[in-house]
Amino acid sequence: MRHGVRIGVDVGSVRIGVARSDPSGLLATPVETVRRGRGDLARIAEIAAEHEAIEIVVGLPTSLSGRESHAAEAARAFATRLADRMAPVPIRLVDERLTTVSAQQGLRSSGVKARNQRDVIDQAAAVVLLQAALDGERATGNPPGRPLEPPRPGTGLGEEASGGTAR
């Protein structure tokens, strides 16, 4: 297991859940919910710098069959913009199937009422995502998910995110 703090990011259309690990990579904990839009990349970069993160794990929403949706394209685009801002800190894309469902179940079982979940559900989903990534790395010895290719000079897009054409 690599030593160092990882940041987990659950990208939603309105809010972004952020979690962090301890330096040993054993436990994910919630950090905050960032409002999507102006300043969101800057805030996540601040959080990563504050915790001296060795990498950022971004959730890639896929269907149960493994297909990627419009939400996956949006998460890739966000991850690419974040990678451009965070270089040389690597960004990894990790399958986030059922993280929100797991987060909702966890909150419900801990007594948080559905109407009060909105404020913390994104953070809880980021915790579930990051904890799964940490557990996977510990079990296999391999970093989680797939690396987002660094932005190519002059394009501002990573190879994986661009798919050969600018979006």
Side-chain angles (χ1 to χ4, degrees):
M1 185 78 180
R2 298 168 297 147
H3 186 79
V5 172
R6 283 87 160 167
I7 300 294
V9 177
D10 181 69
V11 181
S13 60
V14 177
R15 293 174 300 277
I16 303 164
V18 182
R20 70 175 286 261
S21 75
D22 62 295
S24 63
L26 289 175
L27 186 63
T29 56
V31 175
E32 72 179 72
T33 300
V34 176
R35 175 139 318 275
R36 183 80 188 261
R38 180 183 229 164
D40 55 3
L41 294 171
R43 180 62 191 135
I44 294 169
E46 287 173 14
I47 293 168
E50 176 183 325
H51 295 290
E52 299 176 354
I54 63 165
E55 76 183 3
I56 299 175
V57 175
V58 176
L60 185 64
T62 54
S63 68
L64 291 176
S65 68
R67 292 191 185 138
E68 293 185 12
S69 65
H70 175 69
E73 286 181 34
R76 278 184 196 280
F78 184 87
T80 298
R81 290 191 308 275
L82 186 59
D84 192 36
R85 182 173 211 114
M86 293 302 304
V89 175
I91 307 290
R92 299 190 68 83
L93 298 172
V94 175
D95 183 351
E96 69 164 33
R97 272 180 270 192
L98 302 179
T99 55
T100 301
V101 172
S102 296
Q104 287 171 330
Q105 289 172 342
L107 288 171
R108 199 170 26 254
S109 69
S110 65
V112 178
K113 294 186 187 282
R115 70 177 186 272
N116 297 331
Q117 288 182 7
R118 177 182 281 166
D119 294 337
V120 294
I121 191 67
D122 302 291
Q123 289 176 48
V127 167
V128 170
L129 165 76
L130 183 55
Q131 190 65 56
L134 296 170
D135 293 346
E137 181 172 344
R138 204 169 20 268
T140 66
N142 297 319
R146 300 186 309 258
L148 180 71
E149 296 299 322
R152 292 179 300 207
T155 66
L157 293 175
E159 291 176 29
E160 186 165 327
S162 70
T165 60
R167 292 193 175 125

